[in-house]
Structure formats: C-alpha cells, structure tokens
Amino acid sequence: MAIESTHLSTIVPNLGVGEIADAVARREITPIEIVEALLERVAATEGKVQAWSYLDAAGARAQARILSDEVVTGRLRGPLHGVPFGIKDEFHVEGLPTGMRALDILPMEPEDATVVTRLRAAGAIVMGKTHMPVRNKELPTRNPWNQEHTAGGTSSGSGASVGARMVPFAIGEQTMGSNLRPACYCGCAGLKPTYGRISRFGCFPFAWSVDHVGLIGRSFSDLALVLSVLAGPDSKDHTAIADSAPPADLQLEAMRPPRIGLVRNFALDRSEPVVLEALERSVSLMKQAGAQISDFNLPDEFPLVYQADRIVTAAEGATFHADEHPDMDLSGSAGRSGALVPATYYLQARRMRAWLTEKVLAAIGPLDAILTPTTPAPAPKPPGTGNATFLVPWSFLGFPAITVPCGLSPEGLPMGLQFITRPRADYQLLQVGAWTENVIGRLPAPPLP
C-alpha cells in the first residue's frame, strides 16, 4: 500500500501495527512522520477522550528521529520498528513517573519494565502513559464511541487510546477484568494471555498470582505480532513461563474452522438482550463459515471460583500495599480486610484454584475454545466502569482469554465475544480470534473528529 505524504494525518491513525511496520521497512513513511500524525490525532481527540495520564510528545519525537535515521542507514531494530504504543500507568518507563505509586512527589523511574525493554528493542516507540485510577479518584477517561459512557476498568486509558485511533496498540493489565473490558467497550481486539506468558517485572502489582500483562490492539494479527516480541522467559520474573515466544504469523490459510463450546450455564442468563442478540448473530455467521459450535456447560463447582478469587486477591493486595502505604484507605481486593484473611483460608483458596483448573480443563477437552459474551452489557455511564463477572474466573485461573468485537448496540456502543482456552495455547486462541474477526468483520472507527 503506497502512502501519500499529503494525507498522513488521516491515513496513519487507521493503520495497524503490521501495516505501520511494513510501511517503515519499505521506506514509504518514516517513524517521525508516524509520530507527528498520531500526535495530531491526539490533539484532535484527547480533549474528549482523556486517555493519557502522561503524554511524552518530546520523548516520542526523540525516539522517532533516532529510528528514522536508522532506517536511512538500512538498520531495522526489529518487527516493530517505528510503531508507537501507549502503556498503562502502572508499568515503569525510564524517565517517566508512575502515578500508581500514589506519592505526593512522583520520581522519574530509573529503569524500564521488561515489556518496555522488549518493545524498545523491537523498534517500538513509547508515546506515553495511559490513565488508570490512582488514590481512588474517578477516572477521567471516556469511551471514544460515546463520551457519556465509561471506557472500562483500570486499563481504560489503554483501551481508549487504541479505540480512538491515537496509537495502534497499547499495553494494559488485568487482575479481574481490566484489560479485556476496556478493549471490549472501546471496540478493540484484546488478549489476556496465560498467567506468566508475559513478564510482569516493572509492573506495579495488585495481586501477584493473578496479575496479567494484557494487550489491546486493532486486530488479532497485530496482537500476535506484539506477543511474539513480548512473550518468553525473564530472569527478573520467576513467574514468567519458560516457553519461547510464539510466531507472529497466525497462518490462517492453513487453519481449519474452530470447534467452539458455547457456555450455557454461566453467562447467558446474566446478559442483557442486546448482548445476546449480538452473540446469536455472531454464532450464526461462524456456523455458516464452518465452525463447529456446540452447547457447553462449566463444572457445577465453577461458582466457587469467585469466593476463592476474593480471598487470594484480598490477601495478596493487602500484603503488598500495607508495606508501601500503611495509612492509605485501600478498597476492593487490595483493601484492609485482606490483612485479616487467615493463612489457612489463603492456602485453601490456592488449592481450590488448582482443583478448579483440573475440572475446567477436563470439561474443555478437545475444543479449541469456549465462548461467552465479554461483558453482560455495553459500557455503562460513570462512575461505574462495568461488570467483570465473565472475566474474573479466567484471570484467577490463569487461562488465556480474548475479546473479539461483535457489533454495536442501538446506542452505538461496542460489544464483544470472549473466547477462553487452556493455558499455554495463546497462539491457537489468537488464531480463533483472527478467524472469527474475518468472519464477522471489524468495527469501523468511532465517530470522533
């Protein structure tokens, strides 16, 4: 695809990760031109969306100039050379503050999180940090599809920055549902990988055995490309899986239509009619394209996942945050009540996680994935950030999950399909997402300037 320099401000924001990287490699556009076009997009939309807690325009331009010079000399650092991205505030970026520290005076971080290190090594450009709630303050971020509605959970800034076409991808994090929910609400593709598939070093923790680095992008081919850069072992994070990174090419031409289990006993009776209608339309299209979709029931003991999750996240959150902020009025999973959880309860909840994992794996059997709505309803209005009921179990169990956009509500708000599969099958799950995306179609850009 040839890119006309006179239309960069309208073309670049609609390019995906792979498209930008390919254009840079072919010398059709320079990294500095990409950054300038996206900064122009930010200037046009940030006032309405408010995705950025710290937009590092000067730093992005400086990185882009270096990368542009390297292209001239024939050097490409990696598969993301010249591709800008946003990153959730809780990740450390050298030279930028981390608002999640909740200090009156924020220091500049002395080193990058592993995800930032690997993205920089591949040639990606840090545009800045995206909003998340700090000190229990209401998020300023709004949904790019309708600014009267929320953009989702704690990764709302990351979801909104991609949904508003300010960057082609962003890094989020999910402890409950705060990566896939913003991705869904903002009309994006999202991945919460297997626990440990991406290193958490340099990520401010909520609950260390449940926290996942998440990806939000325009398409599943883009997410596969980014995952191929980020996944892999890390000596700085003992929970990182030792498996090597999956390939970037999803090889859809060789893929057979997937075998899917439509979950009947967990999500459908809790979903609003508009979500069920979108699910039914999508299932019909998938069946017409050859997918084998059958009814699926989760084990009868599955609801225990919520009680176990509350115990583990509360105890782990309180353990970490009590040392750093003994006087802070913490709430939710990191609240003071977590300090009162007996060790026997915590250990039993961890054992329950292993037991439930075995039961769910046995139920999934030969299926490629199981399917639920991503959320029970489209994005609500603030101060709420939406319902994570369908997402929490897979964060707690560590199973990989994705969200695929599946249409708009009558109010013009995106809805999504959640696919889940067995741990360490992230690549195969991205294949399912890309196949589904091709069958049901992608959403257009939101109605922003």
Side-chain angles (χ1 to χ4, degrees), residues 182-218:
C184 171
Y185 287 169
C186 296
C188 304
L191 166 68
K192 184 210 72 67
T194 300
Y195 177 76
R197 197 66 179 100
I198 302 175
S199 169
R200 293 179 297 110
F201 175 77
C203 174
F204 205 86
F206 286 97
W208 57 81
S209 74
V210 190
D211 295 343
H212 298 68
V213 178
L215 307 181
I216 300 174
R218 205 75 55 73

Side-chain angles (χ1 to χ4, degrees), residues 100-102 134-136 204-206 313-339:
M100 183 64 183
R101 288 192 182 278
V134 175
R135 291 187 170 185
N136 296 323
F204 205 86
F206 286 97
T313 54
E316 292 181 358
T319 299
F320 177 81
H321 293 283
D323 289 340
E324 290 237 339
H325 309 294
D327 299 322
M328 184 179 294
D329 182 18
L330 298 170
S331 62
S333 63
R336 295 189 181 281
S337 61

Side-chain angles (χ1 to χ4, degrees), residues 267-273 275-276 373 375-377 390:
L268 300 190
D269 61 344
R270 307 182 189 186
S271 300
E272 291 190 358
V275 171
L276 293 177
T375 59
F390 302 162

Side-chain angles (χ1 to χ4, degrees), residues 1 73 108 111 136 205 305:
M1 175 186 65
T73 64
M108 299 301 174
E111 65 177 328
N136 296 323
V305 73

Side-chain angles (χ1 to χ4, degrees), residues 53-54 88-93 96-103 106-109 111 129 132 134 202-204:
S53 60
Y54 193 100
K88 188 176 180 178
D89 171 81
E90 71 184 281
F91 291 88
H92 296 173
V93 177
L96 300 185
T98 301
M100 183 64 183
R101 288 192 182 278
L103 301 173
L106 295 174
M108 299 301 174
E109 297 296 341
E111 65 177 328
K129 291 191 149 192
M132 65 176 293
V134 175
C203 174
F204 205 86

Side-chain angles (χ1 to χ4, degrees), residues 192-278:
K192 184 210 72 67
T194 300
Y195 177 76
R197 197 66 179 100
I198 302 175
S199 169
R200 293 179 297 110
F201 175 77
C203 174
F204 205 86
F206 286 97
W208 57 81
S209 74
V210 190
D211 295 343
H212 298 68
V213 178
L215 307 181
I216 300 174
R218 205 75 55 73
S219 69
F220 285 93
S221 60
D222 283 353
L223 296 186
L225 179 54
V226 176
L227 183 64
S228 74
V229 168
L230 292 180
D234 181 15
S235 61
K236 296 180 177 180
D237 178 6
H238 74 279
T239 67
I241 294 174
D243 300 357
S244 59
D249 185 1
L250 291 176
Q251 301 179 0
L252 293 184
E253 65 282 352
M255 178 187 170
R256 57 164 173 75
R259 294 167 295 188
I260 304 295
L262 177 59
V263 177
R264 289 290 182 183
N265 66 333
F266 164 60
L268 300 190
D269 61 344
R270 307 182 189 186
S271 300
E272 291 190 358
V274 66
V275 171
L276 293 177
E277 290 171 7

